[in-house]
Amino acid sequence: MFKARFQTFDDQSERSAIAGRVASLRAELARRGLDGFVVPRADRQQNEYVPPSEERLAWLTGFGGSAGLAVVLADRAILFVDGRYTLQAADQVDGTVFTVGHLVDSPPETWVEANLGAGKKLGYDPWLHTAEVAEKLAKACAAAGAHLVPVEPNPIDAVWTDRPAPPLAPVVLHHLKYAGEEASAKLQRIRHDIETLKADALVVSDPHSVAWTFNIRGADVAHTPLPLAFAVVPKAGRPALYVDGRKLDNAVRHHLEELADVREPDALVSDLAALGAASKTVRLDQATAAQALSCIVTEAGGKPTRGPDPIVLMKSIKNAVEIDGARAAQRRDGAAASRFLAWLDREAPAGHITEIDAVAALETFRRDTGALKEVSFPTISGAGPNGAIVHYRVTRRSNRRIGTGELYLVDSGGQYLDGTTDITRTVAIGLPTPEMRERFTLVLKGHIAIARAVFPDGTTGAQLDPLARQYLWRAGVDFDHGTGHGVGSYLSVHEGPARISKLGTAPLRRGMIISNEPGYYKTGAFGIRIENLVLVVAADPVAGAEKPLNAFETLTLAPLDRRLIDVALLSAAEVAWVDAYHARVVETLGPLVDVDTRAWLQAATEPLSPD
């Protein structure tokens, strides 16, 4: 099996292993008459976190990020990553085997068109690519006079001799006291949308949507409580749920069989072919449905239509039970985060705490709640220059002590039955420099601008995104990630369709939970990010308003580092916001923490302005 993710390649054995894997893949491609192969970081359902058995890109390249794609030809190979992972990829990937390209600025299809010779055959696994991606690759191949060829089984699986077995974690029921709506009612709403879409059936290829629809959870992937499963929901009649029966105990199976036909995963292909043979119109999710699914329907005589999965929007708008659960989870998580920050303030200045020590301590405080199911993503724990790597993951090799005079950035979250959390705090260890304080305050101003925003119903995340960047822009700097992402209810910490970013086209709807996380990163020096989760709510009434107005309720509760705030750069309204937030933090969390942490909280949340 490949070594732990986020390993760096500074020893010869690792370099030799990667070179050997690429050589084995090239030999297998030659045996199959292929001149190259596309390796995405994906499983059959386009999950953010994939089980070890699906980590083909990490096994082949050594790259452990959550977004990437490699193209291997007979004489060259390239790994594409986005802006979050450029530094990580350079650290993890052997540059003598793979060059590193930018997934967005110079996409794979551009490289394929320029590097694939006429008459060549480029293979791809149709189960690991959406139809949109496959069409782009096919167009690039055609422009080069080459051919894109679907390949099954995946050639990497033929050479990955110690590939792990697929996961078989038990499926569990998500109780109504957490879900807030019966699965039968959800299915009724879904059927209504299927009819509106003029489809005969919906293929639910996103396992998050499957989990939400049937009120089930699992543990097939890290950090997100997912059972890997598919479903087909017809406009009329019983749905079908495709899940490995070994994951179901008798009680869970009985419950699910009251809602749907429970079938083995292999039955999906024949059932889709039957829909096609009956000339049915089948809706496929453009974001997660594999190209193979579209081909099955088409080749059987059906009509696949692509578009957004309607369940994604339903899932993103939390009901009253889920909102109450989110507030409870944030209180619990905020108390744990505050215990950690108090501990860090006591221990870090002595210079003996490492990034890994901090990760372990933070997880311990969360586990002490007695409610933590799993961390919601691998904790980002970056001291000094490591904090400038946006999606940094500490390893034994990269681990460094948190030094005096540095900034420490910690981005973390928890999965609880009643909610999912995500919080980032940046802390000064010792005396911060004037530059650190100025940059932190500019980030804080952008954070406050989002937190205080009032906007017409229907406003998109792209329209709000400049509010977070405006003060950094005036200083001639920016950050290369979105300002906010949706968050699920004991589901994915990264949930669509809404986000606050330059590409955020979905309207923000009341009931959505979004992150608010502007940042600044000085390569080789320090990183700054301030992240709270916010809930879209109705704004306070405004006299003469001609449209419904929305606002944000900040859910996350934990102190901001006052030592990093340059009050002179804040307006009176911004100072008032910080003071009101801190008053709420100490009032809410004070009763939930121990005496020592309560004393630290009171000092950490003192007003910026005199009474």
Side-chain angles (χ1 to χ4, degrees):
M1 187 184 299
F2 61 95
K3 291 193 176 180
R5 292 175 62 187
F6 315 116
Q7 190 101 15
T8 53
F9 288 89
D10 51 7
D11 66 67
Q12 190 57 43
S13 64
E14 284 298 325
R15 291 179 181 274
S16 297
I18 294 301
R21 292 167 189 166
V22 173
S24 295
L25 175 60
R26 284 176 169 146
E28 178 66 17
L29 296 178
R31 189 183 68 81
R32 298 192 189 192
L34 297 171
D35 301 291
F37 191 67
V38 183
V39 187
R41 199 277 181 176
D43 62 7
R44 290 188 169 200
Q45 295 170 288
Q46 300 296 314
N47 283 302
E48 177 181 10
Y49 300 111
V50 302
S53 57
E54 301 298 313
E55 289 276 20
R56 295 177 182 87
L57 185 67
W59 177 83
L60 183 69
T61 68
F63 172 65
S66 64
L69 179 145
V71 182
V72 177
L73 302 181
D75 60 348
R76 69 197 74 178
I78 185 168
L79 169 70
F80 294 91
V81 299
D82 64 24
R84 298 171 296 171
Y85 294 117
T86 50
L87 294 177
Q88 179 177 320
D91 194 36
Q92 293 180 328
V93 175
D94 185 348
T96 66
V97 180
F98 289 92
T99 57
V100 177
H102 198 288
L103 197 59
V104 178
D105 295 344
S106 181
E109 56 268 20
T110 301
W111 187 90
V112 166
E113 183 176 344
N115 288 271
L116 192 63
K120 300 295 185 181
K121 294 180 180 179
L122 180 66
Y124 81 108
D125 185 339
W127 282 100
L128 301 183
H129 298 265
T130 64
E132 180 182 5
V133 171
E135 287 166 1
K136 288 180 179 179
L137 289 170
K139 184 177 179 180
C141 289
H147 306 280
L148 184 68
V149 180
V151 180
E152 294 185 62
N154 193 301
I156 287 182
D157 299 348
V159 297
W160 188 358
T161 55
D162 56 351
R163 182 184 174 209
L168 285 173
V171 173
V172 297
L173 302 180
H174 192 50
H175 199 280
L176 187 62
K177 67 180 180 180
Y178 302 119
E181 184 181 9
E182 295 281 7
S184 56
K186 293 178 178 180
L187 285 165
Q188 186 173 352
R189 288 204 281 149
I190 293 166
R191 289 190 184 97
H192 177 269
D193 277 16
I194 294 171
E195 187 167 2
T196 300
L197 293 168
K198 295 181 169 48
D200 296 303
L202 169 71
V203 176
V204 189
S205 52
D206 184 346
H208 304 83
S209 293
V210 175
W212 179 87
T213 297
F214 292 95
N215 286 340
I216 56 176
R217 298 295 188 268
D220 282 339
V221 301
H223 311 302
T224 307
L226 287 180
L228 294 181
F230 288 86
V232 173
V233 181
K235 182 172 60 176
R238 280 172 65 81
L241 176 64
Y242 302 86
V243 58
D244 193 315
R246 292 172 291 178
K247 300 178 184 180
L248 308 177
D249 65 24
N250 290 338
V252 171
R253 178 181 287 276
H254 175 74
H255 178 85
L256 291 174
E257 285 178 341
E258 292 182 340
L259 297 166
D261 294 331
V262 179
R263 297 171 63 76
E264 290 297 316
D266 290 348
L268 177 62
V269 172
S270 59
D271 287 358
L272 285 182
L275 285 172
S279 301
K280 299 296 186 181
T281 298
V282 179
R283 176 76 168 196
L284 298 173
D285 177 21
Q286 62 188 14
T288 64
Q291 167 74 343
L293 298 175
S294 180
C295 292
I296 292 166
V297 175
T298 301
E299 291 170 4
K303 180 184 178 183
T305 63
R306 303 202 309 258
D309 174 1
I311 300 171
V312 171
L313 178 59
M314 296 181 196
K315 173 166 55 68
S316 72
I317 300 173
K318 311 302 184 285
N319 59 46
V321 170
E322 291 172 319
I323 290 170
D324 286 345
R327 292 182 178 127
Q330 294 292 346
R331 291 192 294 270
R332 183 186 313 116
D333 198 69
S338 295
R339 289 183 64 199
F340 166 76
L341 292 170
W343 170 85
L344 186 72
D345 227 23
R346 291 192 305 268
E347 301 294 334
H352 61 267
I353 300 299
T354 69
E355 294 167 335
I356 289 178
D357 293 334
V359 172
L362 179 52
E363 185 167 333
T364 297
F365 289 125
R366 282 198 167 100
R367 294 202 180 280
D368 284 348
T369 66
L372 183 73
K373 307 299 287 186
E374 163 67 292
V375 295
S376 55
F377 57 96
T379 298
I380 298 171
S381 174
N386 287 344
I389 303 172
V390 176
H391 278 216
Y392 171 68
R393 299 288 188 267
V394 59
T395 69
R396 297 286 176 189
R397 297 185 186 187
S398 68
N399 187 32
R400 67 191 306 273
R401 294 187 183 277
I402 303 172
T404 301
E406 292 185 337
L407 295 186
Y408 171 67
L409 186 155
V410 57
D411 185 351
S412 67
Q415 291 282 11
Y416 306 93
L417 286 171
D418 51 2
T420 300
T421 70
D422 186 359
I423 174 176
T424 307
R425 289 296 182 265
T426 305
V427 180
I429 309 300
L431 186 66
T433 66
E435 180 189 31
M436 292 173 178
R437 297 182 72 234
E438 186 251 356
R439 293 295 195 239
F440 181 92
T441 307
L442 295 181
V443 172
L444 176 61
K445 287 169 73 69
H447 180 93
I448 295 171
I450 293 292
R452 297 180 64 233
V454 175
F455 47 94
D457 196 36
T459 298
T460 68
Q463 290 172 300
L464 293 183
D465 185 70
L467 296 180
R469 302 176 188 270
Q470 57 183 314
Y471 304 104
L472 292 166
W473 283 350
R474 291 175 191 174
V477 294
D478 201 355
F479 54 94
D480 191 18
H481 59 75
T483 299
H485 55 81
V487 176
S489 179
Y490 190 45
L491 275 173
S492 178
V493 75
H494 300 125
E495 178 179 85
R499 54 180 170 164
I500 303 174
S501 80
K502 298 170 185 177
L503 302 177
T505 58
L508 304 183
R509 304 275 294 275
R510 294 174 188 175
M512 289 179 170
I513 296 175
I514 311 283
S515 69
N516 172 10
E517 52 178 310
Y520 169 75
Y521 310 91
K522 184 174 182 179
T523 301
F526 58 82
I528 295 166
R529 187 158 64 251
I530 303 170
E531 178 183 17
N532 287 338
L533 300 189
V534 297
L535 171 69
V536 182
V537 296
D540 292 336
V542 175
E546 297 179 353
K547 295 182 176 181
L549 297 177
N550 294 336
F552 291 121
E553 172 193 335
T554 295
L555 298 176
T556 304
L557 297 170
L560 305 167
D561 192 341
R562 293 167 65 257
R563 296 164 298 193
L564 283 168
I565 300 175
D566 186 343
V567 179
L569 296 178
L570 298 181
S571 69
E574 290 166 338
V575 170
W577 184 91
V578 173
D579 287 347
Y581 176 72
H582 275 160
R584 182 173 161 232
V585 166
V586 73
E587 178 184 5
T588 305
L589 302 184
L592 305 180
V593 297
D594 58 273
V595 173
D596 290 342
T597 302
R598 190 178 308 128
W600 176 87
L601 261 179
Q602 289 170 341
T605 57
E606 289 181 355
L608 295 177
S609 58
D611 293 336

